[in-house]
Amino acid sequence: MFTGLIEEIGEIIAVEPIGDSIRLTIAGPLVTSDAEHGASICVSGVCLTVVEQGRADADPGPGRGWFAADVMQQSIRMSTLGELRPGSPVNLERAVRADTRLGGHIVQGHVDGTATLLSTTEHPAWRTLRFSLSPELAPLLVDKGSVTLSGVSLTVSAISDPPSAGVPADAQWFEVSLIPETLTATTLGSLEAGDRVNVETDILARHLARMHSFFTTTGGTPA
């Protein structure tokens, strides 16, 4: 479990295809400072397991810690991890400790899908990012609710009306507003229109949607 508060921006060192999966090797001196084999580290919103780790003293940036994690096909299909290349920046966060303040919100690292950046709007002290919203995820986001984008805990600052209010299902969108700290401390500050991010909706919304599906009616009879 994570909080969505990014600890550092790491860098992809290597991407190794293994059958229909890939093994990512990632530089992250902070998150590897106390990591053990089998530890969970959130990589741009995706919870991955440390299968190997070490120190890359011979690499640029003496003493950089690194770890390797395997990414299965489902994670590749549901996220942007399959697009990563050596040199790509990624947001990193270690699993939350039981005695740590929950500064963001409950993040599982289980990505629901991706969203595409549609536009950015600059303000004197912040930046607004507007993303596409797929029909599958649209019911799970709410104005002023929590959302995780590439591992970053954020608040939905605006969202389109539902299809029933006249906005087509394929034209749904949502916005988040980023302060300078978020822009510089995460990869979100370098996003450009057309870039994709990993999306994890709020766990409560997912559970409610699942429960509701068992109580929908067809012809007046509970399903």
Side-chain angles (χ1 to χ4, degrees), residues 123-141:
H123 302 277
W126 74 92
R127 182 184 303 169
T128 299
L129 277 61
R130 176 174 290 195
F131 292 92
S132 63
L133 184 56
S134 68
E136 295 79 15
L137 300 185
L140 304 180
L141 267 65

Side-chain angles (χ1 to χ4, degrees), residues 45-165:
V46 183
C47 178
L48 298 180
T49 300
V50 175
V51 298
E52 192 178 354
Q53 64 187 111
R55 301 203 65 81
D57 295 324
D59 287 346
R64 291 194 309 171
W66 60 269
F67 70 97
D70 293 329
V71 185
M72 62 183 178
Q73 182 59 220
Q74 182 181 15
S75 297
I76 295 173
R77 178 173 54 83
M78 293 290 294
S79 73
T80 62
L81 295 191
E83 302 171 7
L84 297 175
R85 299 292 182 267
S88 296
V90 288
N91 295 321
L92 299 177
E93 181 192 355
R94 289 169 291 187
V96 65
R97 291 165 50 109
D99 61 350
T100 300
R101 291 184 178 88
L102 186 61
H105 72 281
I106 296 175
V107 176
Q108 293 183 298
H110 301 165
V111 172
D112 296 303
T114 63
T116 301
L117 179 61
L118 300 176
S119 63
T120 61
T121 302
E122 298 290 343
H123 302 277
W126 74 92
R127 182 184 303 169
T128 299
L129 277 61
R130 176 174 290 195
F131 292 92
S132 63
L133 184 56
S134 68
E136 295 79 15
L137 300 185
L140 304 180
L141 267 65
V142 62
D143 187 31
K144 305 306 182 288
S146 296
V147 66
T148 307
L149 301 183
S150 291
V152 184
S153 173
L154 297 168
T155 300
V156 176
S157 57
I159 193 167
S160 58
D161 291 329
S164 59

